[in-house]
Amino acid sequence: MKARLRDIAEQASVSEATVSRVLNGKPGVAESTRQAVLTALDVLGYDRPSRLRRKSAGLVGLIVPELTNPIFPAFAQIIENSLAQNGYTPVLCTQVAGGVHEDDYVQMLLERGVAGIIFISGLHADTTSKPDRYIALRERNLPLVLVNGYIDGVDAPFISNDDVASMGLALEHLVSLGHREIGLAVGPDRYVPVIRKIAGFRHSMQELTGRSDVDDLIERSLFTVEGGATAAGRLLDRGATAVVCGSDLMALGAIREARKRGLNVPRDFSVVGYDDSTLIAFTDPPLTTVRQSVNAMSAATVRALLDEIAGQPSPRAEYVFRPELVVRGSTGAVRRH
């Protein structure tokens, strides 16, 4: 789109002559004024002249699971913005069932000469996967950062939410409301975050209720609304008065199943989600949930990758971020019969 000097000048609060000097690369313009004109170009949707376009420091691959779960777009948005601010061009690769495999995305990124790759909840979170694919990338000296998952033998920094602490926060809250028959609805237990949630659930149930026989209170399903509904149904059949879910989507499914049975949430059944993804505060009822530290985790992820690219590698460790319990309207005192 061809830029109109008058519109740009009005947007930047400068004269048309000043706009012309900036666009033609003439001297005598203050840097703050130059930036105001360039920003006006961007805001108005005009293309910058080629000599004024930002120069990319390189491409960075960002591989994430499907975007139907709102937590993944949340990570992607923050990480992409931070990479762009540091001069890198993010390349978003989204995995869906039956779609492009992670290894195929990696090959595509390598062919484009990426400076590094960030993996969010990728195969490094699957205990049935081997570390070979990541070891091979590190042998090529390609900088990597792996988020929410862990796999031994990989020379890269890991960034994770504290899943064990998450269960402690949720269960402390529910037990304080009088609940003892508390269920856990999670995804397949081949994934590291699920394994850790189950371990945290067992530990906190023992600590808070003295109960160690909790196998009948753990339901493994899918990280979807339907998966949450199915798991909640089974737990309700066993007398559970509350459930902690492995994702907000599962929690919405649990609420739907409770209502299908004529139960009120939270009067008859309390539900805790996990992630605190977009719009969850506006559900009916607003969802009590465990909030991942998405901002802090994303910032640490980008910082670690940039350090790797700069040849100043981060210490080889898993950086674990403590979550926060956000109490809203989907949890309440246990109903006494």
Side-chain angles (χ1 to χ4, degrees):
M1 185 185 299
K2 188 176 180 180
R4 294 178 58 188
L5 294 184
R6 184 178 62 187
D7 295 338
I8 300 168
E10 184 177 340
Q11 178 70 30
S13 299
V14 298
S15 69
E16 291 183 32
T18 298
V19 172
S20 178
R21 294 185 70 82
V22 171
L23 296 183
N24 290 295
K26 301 294 184 182
V29 179
E31 181 59 25
S32 59
T33 302
R34 178 178 174 278
Q35 288 301 324
V37 171
L38 295 178
T39 299
L41 274 173
D42 296 339
V43 169
L44 294 172
Y46 292 131
D47 294 329
R48 293 188 182 195
S50 57
R51 63 178 173 278
L52 297 177
R53 291 173 188 165
R54 297 185 182 93
K55 291 181 174 59
S56 173
L59 304 177
V60 169
L62 176 58
I63 301 180
V64 301
E66 81 290 338
L67 299 181
T68 52
N69 185 334
I71 194 63
F72 297 126
F75 271 112
Q77 180 176 335
I78 298 170
I79 290 173
E80 286 184 323
N81 184 58
S82 183
L83 286 170
Q85 288 179 350
N86 283 278
Y88 287 87
T89 302
V91 181
L92 181 63
C93 302
T94 306
Q95 299 184 80
V96 295
V100 180
H101 191 273
E102 179 179 304
D103 292 340
D104 295 324
Y105 270 133
V106 168
Q107 187 58 41
M108 291 164 56
L109 292 169
L110 291 176
E111 290 171 357
R112 285 159 178 76
V114 292
I117 303 177
I118 295 169
F119 297 85
I120 299 179
S121 300
L123 291 174
H124 66 286
D126 189 337
T127 57
T128 64
S129 294
K130 295 181 179 180
D132 302 11
R133 54 177 47 86
Y134 303 111
I135 293 173
L137 291 174
R138 289 298 298 128
E139 287 176 347
R140 299 175 59 142
N141 293 318
L142 183 72
L144 308 177
V145 180
L146 301 105
V147 181
N148 275 342
Y150 184 80
I151 191 167
D152 283 324
V154 178
D155 177 32
F158 290 81
I159 307 290
S160 296
N161 184 67
D162 192 334
D163 294 296
V164 173
S166 298
M167 294 299 101
L169 292 171
L171 288 172
E172 285 172 7
H173 171 62
L174 291 171
V175 169
S176 74
L177 294 172
H179 295 277
R180 294 297 181 272
E181 296 297 315
I182 305 167
L184 174 65
V186 286
D189 59 8
R190 71 175 190 268
Y191 296 112
V192 172
V194 173
I195 293 170
R196 291 174 173 177
K197 286 182 176 71
I198 291 174
F201 180 79
R202 291 185 187 279
H203 175 76
S204 292
M205 285 293 283
Q206 174 69 47
E207 289 286 310
L208 297 170
T209 70
R211 182 170 178 177
S212 58
D213 57 331
V214 295
D215 286 351
D216 62 330
L217 292 174
I218 301 173
E219 278 294 327
R220 300 158 182 84
S221 185
L222 299 175
F223 282 116
T224 61
V225 172
E226 294 76 17
T230 299
R234 292 172 182 162
L235 292 168
L236 282 165
D237 289 341
R238 296 184 198 130
T241 63
V243 63
V244 180
C245 297
S247 73
D248 288 337
L249 291 181
M250 294 188 81
L252 296 180
I255 293 173
R256 187 175 74 179
E257 177 63 21
R259 286 179 170 163
K260 181 180 175 182
R261 295 172 177 235
L263 302 177
N264 176 273
V265 176
R267 188 184 67 227
D268 304 309
F269 189 57
S270 288
V271 178
V272 179
Y274 185 90
D275 284 337
D276 195 31
S277 41
T278 309
L279 302 180
I280 284 302
F282 305 101
T283 58
D284 180 24
L287 187 65
T288 294
T289 188
V290 178
R291 174 185 292 162
Q292 286 200 63
S293 301
V294 175
N295 287 330
M297 291 173 65
S298 298
T301 297
V302 173
R303 185 71 268 154
L305 187 75
L306 295 180
D307 288 345
E308 296 282 320
I309 293 172
Q312 302 168 346
S314 303
R316 292 306 185 247
E318 182 179 17
Y319 300 89
V320 180
F321 287 74
R322 185 166 178 84
E324 174 189 358
L325 180 70
V326 182
V327 179
R328 298 192 181 103
S330 65
T331 50
V334 67
R335 189 175 184 183
R336 303 296 182 185
H337 294 284

